[in-house]
Amino acid sequence: MSDGAVRLPGFWLWRRRPASASSAVDRTQAVQPLAGVPIAIRGLVQSLGSNTILHGIDLDVHPGEFLTLLGASGSGKTTLLMALAGFVLPDRGRILIGDADVTTVAPHRRDIGIVFQSYALFPHMSVGRNVAYPLKLRGVPRDETVRRVRQALQLVRLQGFEDRAIVSLSGGQRQRVAVARAIVFRPRILLMDEPLSALDKPLREAMQIELRRLHADLGLTTVYVTHDQREAMTLSDRIAVMHAGRIAQIGTPKELYERPRSAFVARFLGDSTILTVDRDPGGFSVHGQRLALGAGADPAGAYGLLIRPERLRLLRAGDARPARAIVLSGAVADVIYEGGGHRLQVALRDSTVLAVRDASLDAGPGAIPRRGAAVDIALLPEDAALVTLDA
């Protein structure tokens, strides 16, 4: 049988004649865990008509890394994933998987597994036949196919489901079948396009833990797309935050949360308040208090002060002002119970509303100030960050 494409809902599968029976068998002999390969994207530009979707993207994905492309709708994250898969041919730039330049290589020759939002499973096939389909297209012998399907289903904790009908499965089980089918042929990389978005919140959170476990078991280089910042924080080794077709910042979840470079990234990752800062030749200040921050700041840049709710401390009567702390004064505008604790909404004197999530608020009766009460809030310099306002 010659090479040929089969169009399925949401993606392409390809039939390919193996060079020989022995090579088809050799292809199945990869060991666990799989050896992750690096990905390098250089100067990638992609347009749709006169609209530029990707603006010169440069990105490195490390071998075996779980990297998430995080952004709002229209940020370019799915277009970047589709270019990596080969479904979109970029206007300019290069894509390398391992040592191979695959920029113009057809999707079926890139050895990638893909899981789509819709899963794109065959409803008329059993679970086992769905998972086996990529092996059938590659000419893998039947006995080896049976072994590999069982192994893939075991990895996603669906052992014994080979004869189940797709229509009998829950959403989470279908998602696992889609993952098993994507990894059964031992791809070089795994791409996932919002695969959990159709699940309800409890199941989505459970599946995030399952995907973390599966990635740890496989060691497979994975690129994941989502608009959900909590999902990205849970799953990722690193996150690339995308905005208007560019990478706004890339780093570990901890780096992005604690030291975002811009107000855009700060607001996209978790609860935050950005305070206005004053600038003079001596540095930065906020509410008349000098900041021990700003080394290396752009002299012409506009900056704000990022504050996270859990980094603030409510000062009570008799509390000493912490050394080096910035103290912000205001009045309690609201008290909100969030299940795991309380949050204060404090209106500062310049009308900025500051969220405060201090563990002492749940210390017992009388720990929560009344609405309208005057309060002082302490912030240590190391718990804040200067962020640019021009993003």
Side-chain angles (χ1 to χ4, degrees):
M1 185 187 306
S2 61
D3 286 9
V6 180
R7 182 68 168 125
L8 300 176
F11 66 109
W12 289 89
L13 290 177
W14 293 81
R15 296 191 179 96
R16 188 167 54 178
R17 183 194 296 275
S20 66
S22 62
S23 65
V25 175
D26 291 342
R27 191 176 167 79
T28 69
Q29 300 305 310
V31 297
Q32 295 282 3
L34 299 178
V37 297
I39 301 169
I41 297 173
R42 297 289 179 266
L44 206 69
V45 175
Q46 178 65 49
S47 300
L48 180 61
S50 60
N51 181 31
T52 302
I53 302 171
L54 298 176
H55 298 264
I57 297 291
D58 290 308
L59 177 64
D60 288 289
V61 186
H62 307 316
E65 180 177 34
F66 195 117
L67 182 130
T68 294
L69 304 176
L70 174 66
S73 297
S75 63
K77 59 188 186 299
T78 295
T79 299
L80 180 55
L81 193 80
M82 292 299 100
L84 185 54
F87 299 139
V88 170
L89 183 64
D91 301 331
R92 294 193 302 277
R94 300 172 66 212
I95 300 172
L96 294 92
I97 299 177
D99 295 327
D101 187 333
V102 300
T103 309
T104 59
V105 173
H108 69 289
R109 297 190 182 279
R110 298 190 184 197
D111 271 342
I112 53 178
I114 308 177
V115 180
F116 292 95
Q117 181 177 348
S118 64
Y119 310 150
L121 299 173
F122 299 106
H124 63 287
M125 289 186 180
S126 66
V127 167
R129 290 177 65 199
N130 264 280
V131 177
Y133 199 75
L135 301 178
K136 178 181 178 181
L137 297 181
R138 288 164 171 80
V140 176
R142 185 180 183 280
D143 289 348
E144 180 66 13
T145 294
V146 170
R147 184 185 73 82
R148 294 282 294 278
V149 168
R150 286 176 179 168
Q151 183 183 55
L153 289 175
Q154 185 175 12
L155 281 169
V156 298
R157 299 186 179 180
L158 288 179
Q159 54 266 42
F161 276 61
E162 287 88 343
D163 296 327
R164 297 279 189 96
I166 293 296
V167 295
S168 72
L169 303 182
S170 67
Q173 289 169 337
R174 293 184 191 192
Q175 192 265 353
R176 295 182 193 206
V177 174
V179 172
R181 186 177 62 184
I183 65 176
V184 72
F185 64 95
R186 311 291 175 98
R188 293 196 293 169
I189 61 174
L190 178 63
L191 308 180
M192 307 185 81
D193 187 14
E194 305 219 38
L196 306 183
S197 61
L199 305 179
D200 59 34
K201 185 176 184 292
L203 182 54
R204 186 166 66 248
E205 292 176 350
M207 289 308 305
Q208 290 168 13
I209 302 303
E210 286 298 301
L211 287 178
R212 277 180 59 91
R213 176 194 61 80
L214 184 63
H215 180 258
D217 289 345
L218 288 175
L220 188 61
T221 305
T222 302
V223 180
Y224 189 96
V225 162
T226 185
H227 65 275
D228 186 324
Q229 58 96 2
R230 292 188 183 274
E231 186 169 288
M233 299 278 281
T234 299
L235 287 169
S236 312
D237 296 318
R238 288 191 304 154
I239 300 169
V241 180
M242 296 197 64
H243 178 54
R246 295 179 170 86
I247 295 177
Q249 189 175 347
I250 184 168
T252 67
K254 182 179 177 67
E255 288 168 348
L256 294 183
Y257 186 81
E258 295 188 357
R259 289 293 179 265
R261 296 190 194 121
S262 68
F264 172 82
V265 174
R267 292 188 176 111
F268 207 86
L269 285 161
D271 295 337
S272 63
T273 303
I274 310 293
L275 294 184
T276 300
V277 297
D278 297 314
R279 190 167 188 172
D280 58 44
F284 295 95
S285 61
V286 61
H287 285 239
Q289 301 167 78
R290 182 66 64 187
L291 292 175
L293 298 169
D298 180 356
Y303 291 88
L305 185 69
L306 164 68
I307 300 176
R308 300 292 190 189
E310 68 277 8
R311 298 296 190 182
L312 296 168
R313 176 183 166 189
L314 180 64
L315 294 181
R316 302 180 182 277
D319 285 351
R321 175 174 175 154
R324 302 181 301 108
I326 300 163
V327 175
L328 305 169
S329 299
V332 176
D334 203 357
V335 180
I336 301 169
Y337 180 63
E338 298 182 315
H342 289 83
R343 184 180 82 221
L344 295 184
Q345 297 292 104
V346 177
L348 302 181
R349 291 169 181 168
D350 64 357
S351 300
T352 301
V353 177
L354 189 67
V356 180
R357 198 177 289 121
D358 184 343
S360 71
L361 293 170
D362 302 290
I368 301 174
R370 298 185 308 275
R371 186 177 298 184
V375 292
D376 289 332
I377 307 297
L379 172 69
L380 293 175
E382 58 266 29
D383 290 333
L386 282 176
V387 293
T388 60
L389 299 178
D390 53 355

